Amino acid sequence: LWGSAPHPTPWGAAGILQSTKKLFLKERTGRGRTLEFIRRNAANGLSVANLVAGLASILCSLNRQYHHSCWLLLVGFLLDLADGAVARRLDACSALGAKLDDFADFTTFGLATALLLQPRGVLDGLLAIAYVMAVFARLCFFSSAGIPFTYRGLPCPYASSLLASTFLLTGGNVTLLCITATIMILFMVDQGFYPHDRVLESQLWKKVVYAGGVVAVLFSPATVASIYCLAWSTSYIIFPCAVWSCKA
């Protein structure tokens, strides 16, 4: 009959199948690219979060909200420990990521931490500058000298964690903070070896310590978080090999 509808041809069915297949493959390729982008930039995202925490800490210190500044420094401490572990786990280490991490560390553990000293005079200002320069030297010029799983000089995140915890526990006692900062400068510029603890890539108890730090900083009172991070940082600074020597 002239008015009857045409029957679908095999070519039409094959075309629909081919179009569906192309759409599926395109969607699968797009999802793969998204996952690859996330994998390559997960560590960079943690570095950026650390950088933002440092900048926010600086703003808090400039507005004399030092307790908030200390909390942000402790958050940055946890982010920095996770950053390297994520990069190595996902095999996403890159020159750009290393530069971003160093810049975030300098901002958070150098500039932001130095402002906790509340410099008001010439001597206080010189001490703050000396602290920043010690962090700069530690990040830029101290290498591990080819020895695996080691740092030369105290890693600046631990010095920052110790200073922030001391500030919270002493109510911002400037004299004690200046003494502590001076000691931390000596530890950072000294080229003695510290173990690369790799908290999230080592023994189970180190991972438990890190998880406890996350719970303490995010969910516990400031006093509890301060005592926890102070004990953690002090144990690494004073007993680096006896307690924290890496045995991955």
Side-chain angles (χ1 to χ4, degrees), residues 209-231:
V209 168
Y210 182 88
V214 173
V215 172
V217 171
L218 298 182
F219 305 108
S220 301
T223 303
V224 175
S226 303
I227 293 174
Y228 190 95
C229 292
L230 181 65

Side-chain angles (χ1 to χ4, degrees), residues 1-61:
L1 298 175
W2 292 102
S4 61
H7 295 284
T9 63
W11 292 106
I16 294 173
L17 181 61
Q18 189 173 6
S19 298
T20 304
K21 186 177 180 180
K22 286 182 178 180
L23 182 62
F24 176 76
L25 291 175
K26 185 178 180 180
E27 181 180 352
R28 187 175 180 181
T29 302
R31 186 181 304 171
R33 289 177 179 175
T34 301
L35 292 175
E36 178 65 15
F37 177 82
I38 294 173
R39 184 188 72 82
R40 289 185 175 277
N41 292 280
N44 292 342
L46 290 174
S47 293
V48 171
N50 184 13
L51 176 60
V52 171
L55 293 173
S57 177
I58 291 173
L59 292 176
C60 289
S61 293

